[in-house]
Each structure stands twice: as C-alpha cells, then as structure tokens.
C-alpha cells in the first residue's frame, strides 16, 4: 500500500475544550470501543465486562505512574500513610494487574499507583489502557502524574524538576507517530495551572534542595540518544557530547528522560490535566554516571513523591491532619493476606478469559 506521509497536529488547541463530558468523565476519541462486546485491557489484566470497573475504580481522583513495580509499590504504601488510608486488619495491598506480568497497579483509596516501564513505547501502551479504564469506570476529573528520575542539565543531583514543556529530539513539543503509514504529530502539552499549583507548594516548605520548572528533553534511547559516553557504542567525541549538552542548556532544557513526551501528548489528547515531576540524579554537564550512594539516591527519589503527596492531601482537604505513623504503615507491610476487596468480578468466566489473554499476549 502506498501512502503519502502527512504531518498534522492532532492535539487540542489552546482554545479547544477538554475532551470530557459535562460531568467530568472521560470521552474517548475512538467510536469503535462502544461497539465491542468486551474491551480487554490486555496489559492490565482487566476487562470491561469481566470486572465491575465502575465499582472498583469510579472513586479514583489521582493516577500516579512511575518506572518500576518496586518504586510504585513503595509509593502506594507511602501515599497510604500520607492520606491516612487503612486496609482491613490482616490484609495487604493487591497488585491488581499481577496476571499481566507487565505492569503493577495498586489502588489506595482515590489514588492509583502504577508502574509504566521504560521509554515511550511502554508508557504509551499503559496510558492507552489507563485512559480507557478511566472511561469504563466513569472516573470524573482525574489528575495524572508521572513521578521519576532524570539527568539534570545544569541541575545538580537531588534537585526536583517539574516539566514545563516536553520536547522531542528536535527540541519541538510534539510526539510524532506513524499511523496507517502516515505521520501524525500530536501536541505534547502539560497543564500549566497544575504546574503553578505544584510550584506554589514548594515555596511553603524550607527544604535542602531546589524545585524548578523547565523544559524536558525526551529521548528514544538511554545511551546514544542522550549523548552518553558509556554505552556499547559511541561514535562521537567527548567534545562533541559536551557541545550538544551545552546546546540543550542554552535552549532552556533542564533535564533529560525517556517518557515525558508521550505522557504529555496522550494526556493532553485525552483532556486530562497532567504533570511530570522528576528528581535529578546528576548534572549531565559534569558526567554520565550516577555516583551518589544508594541511601542518598533512595532519599532523593522520595522528593517528587513528597510533593505529590502534599498536593493530594491538599486536594482531599487533609492538610492539618497527621498521616498514619510509620509503625502503622510498616505493620501493613507485614500482614499475611492480600486486600481481596480490591477486585469486583462481574463474570468469572470472562475474567478467566481475560487473565489467559493477558498472560499470553505479546
């Protein structure tokens, strides 16, 4: 099939309305979903007719995603303590998507904590299915956050960066896709009022690190795409690498990572307010390898989480209340059974089919 490469902005313009119904629920830009007997969310091990998604997820207000299953499980327990959410005695949080073997998902009251893997392809697959989950569950006015790590540019390790604008390798705020052989360009915009609200929260606390807002370069690769000298291949000199990093710095780029472009483009295309908050692990103007000790890195990675927790507590009207104590939180970790109330099954037969499909789907 021969097609001409076309390029257009598939995003929402500044003056266009969010893609939501008047009650705040998500409106999908896909007319085919309504015609399907069941919509299987393969990589989450959920289905629209196998599980009661409204009962399970309709109270969700915040969707927090980050790279690894371990990080997002730890965030789930952290946010549980911060918002004072308690599970029934003798239970644990359940990995709702455990049968997919791809992503991990935990629900803590109105908060979802989900791992997204590494890079644009992985986070794009997750976002397609999470956005559809919001639609099927009739979630109203959700806010999405990506919590992660990055390499700073002129920003020392340990400082927090809120993405003001996500850029591609050409330093343009667009995600480019090839759909049916044609080039499609979608605007990668993040919610500016949400960013301002997050920055305002950082001004209220005296902490030993900075929180800044800036442009984020999103690359397709961890090594050559980011100008590293420590990959298996490197066909440029250290001088050329530094010239490139200084070029980025000159154009206002504050950090480099691998997911923000897709995250911004897909949430914007869905009309979902979203923000990216990362902690810098090093200043790329000074090197490529992270040298901070593990215990320091662990504390650094909590910094974006603490900011998100403060935002969520404020939105829920919990400021001025005390989080659950650390002892209470740890006692939940040592419980012996999962929180079985998390799953609501509409059809055991369909659920079995969904689990089989998810376990075998590549």
């Amino acid at each position: 099939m021969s097609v001409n490469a076309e390029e257009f902005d598939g995003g929402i313009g500044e003056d266009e309305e969010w893609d939501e119904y008047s009650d705040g629920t998500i409106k999908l830009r896909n007319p085919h979903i309504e015609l399907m007997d069941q919509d299987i969310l393969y990589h989450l091990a959920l289905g629209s007719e196998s599980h009661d998604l409204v009962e399970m997820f309709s109270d969700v207000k915040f969707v927090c995603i980050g790279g690894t299953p371990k990080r997002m499980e730890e965030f789930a327990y952290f946010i549980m303590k911060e918002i004072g959410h308690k599970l029934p005695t003798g239970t644990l949080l359940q990995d709702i998507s455990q049968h997919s073997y791809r992503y991990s998902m935990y629900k803590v009251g109105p908060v979802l904590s989900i791992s997204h893997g590494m890079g644009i392809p992985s986070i794009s697959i997750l976002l397609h299915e999470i956005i559809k989950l919001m639609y099927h569950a009739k979630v109203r006015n959700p806010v999405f956050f990506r919590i992660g790590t990055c390499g700073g540019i002129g920003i020392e390790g340990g400082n927090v960066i809120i993405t003001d604008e996500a850029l591609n390798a050409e330093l343009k705020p667009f995600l480019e896709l090839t759909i049916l052989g044609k080039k499609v360009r979608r605007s990668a915009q993040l919610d500016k009022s949400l960013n301002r609200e997050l920055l305002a929260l950082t001004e209220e606390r005296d902490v030993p690190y900075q929180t800044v807002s800036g442009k984020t370069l999103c690359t397709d690769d961890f090594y050559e795409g980011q100008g590293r000298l420590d990959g298996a291949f490197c066909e440029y000199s250290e001088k050329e690498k530094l010239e490139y990093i200084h070029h980025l710095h000159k154009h206002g780029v504050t950090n480099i990572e691998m997911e923000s472009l897709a995250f911004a483009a897909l949430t914007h295309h869905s009309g979902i307010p979203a923000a990216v908050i990362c902690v810098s692990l090093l200043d790329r103007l000074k090197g490529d390898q992270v040298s901070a000790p593990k215990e320091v890195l662990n504390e650094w990675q909590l910094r974006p989480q603490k900011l998100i927790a403060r935002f969520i507590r404020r939105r829920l009207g919990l400021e001025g209340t005390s989080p659950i104590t650390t002892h209470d939180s740890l006692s939940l970790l040592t419980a012996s059974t999962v929180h079985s109330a998390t799953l609501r099954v509409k059809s055991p037969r369909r659920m079995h089919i969904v689990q089989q499909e998810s376990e075998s789907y590549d």
Side-chain angles (χ1 to χ4, degrees), residues 84-336:
H85 183 78
K86 293 186 178 181
L87 297 178
T89 302
T91 65
L92 280 173
L93 283 176
Q94 181 178 16
D95 179 357
I96 299 169
S97 297
Q98 61 184 314
H99 291 287
S100 76
Y101 304 110
R102 291 170 181 80
Y103 304 107
S104 290
M105 175 164 60
Y106 300 90
K107 184 175 185 296
V108 181
V111 182
L112 282 182
S113 178
I114 316 167
S115 65
H116 61 58
M118 185 179 293
I120 285 177
S122 183
I123 196 173
S124 295
I125 292 167
L126 175 71
L127 285 171
H128 270 273
E129 297 191 11
I130 290 296
I131 291 166
K132 290 198 296 176
L133 176 61
M134 298 294 101
Y135 165 76
H136 290 303
K138 302 186 187 304
V139 172
R140 298 185 180 187
N141 303 308
V143 180
F144 280 32
F145 296 103
R146 174 175 127 65
I147 307 168
T149 60
C150 64
I153 299 182
I155 306 291
E156 295 286 350
N159 293 300
V160 175
I161 302 166
I162 301 173
T163 299
D164 178 61
E165 192 173 44
L167 306 176
N168 61 23
E170 298 176 346
L171 303 186
K172 303 294 184 183
F174 298 103
L175 173 68
E176 188 171 271
L177 305 169
T178 301
I179 302 175
L180 301 183
K182 300 179 181 181
K183 296 292 184 183
V184 176
R185 200 172 60 163
R186 288 186 179 154
S187 179
Q189 295 186 41
L190 293 160
D191 191 278
K192 294 188 183 301
S193 63
L194 180 57
N195 276 9
R196 287 193 294 269
E197 190 172 351
L198 290 166
L199 279 172
L201 285 174
T202 68
E203 297 170 358
E204 299 173 7
R205 295 285 176 91
D206 183 19
V207 292
Y209 56 88
Q210 288 185 310
T211 300
V212 301
S213 178
K215 297 177 181 179
T216 298
L217 172 64
C218 181
T219 68
D220 296 325
D221 169 58
F222 183 78
Y223 287 101
E224 293 174 289
Q226 297 187 18
R228 292 180 180 273
L229 301 176
D230 56 352
F233 311 102
C234 183
E235 299 172 358
Y236 44 84
S237 67
E238 182 175 8
K239 180 176 180 291
E240 290 172 317
K241 170 255 176 121
L242 286 173
E243 288 175 349
Y244 173 68
I245 300 296
H246 280 284
H247 169 75
L248 296 178
H249 191 236
K250 179 181 177 181
H251 284 78
V253 176
T254 53
N255 61 322
I256 307 175
E257 47 86 90
M258 297 175 60
E259 293 85 23
S260 60
L261 195 70
F263 179 80
L266 270 69
T267 53
H268 179 65
H269 203 57
S270 303
I272 297 172
V276 178
I277 306 96
C278 293
V279 66
S280 170
L281 298 184
L282 77 166
D283 183 354
R284 288 295 312 284
L285 290 171
K286 298 179 179 179
D288 296 338
Q289 299 216 340
V290 177
S291 59
K294 182 175 177 59
E295 58 271 16
V296 172
L297 293 174
N298 288 341
E299 193 279 323
W300 286 358
Q301 291 184 54
L302 281 174
R303 293 175 178 181
Q305 297 182 22
K306 290 177 179 177
L307 177 56
I308 297 305
R310 289 188 60 210
F311 176 90
I312 290 173
R313 284 172 57 82
R314 175 166 290 190
R315 282 287 180 98
L316 294 177
L318 297 176
E319 282 197 327
T321 62
S322 299
I324 298 177
T325 65
T326 302
H327 178 269
D328 290 335
S329 180
L330 290 174
S331 69
L332 292 172
L333 282 165
T334 58
S336 59

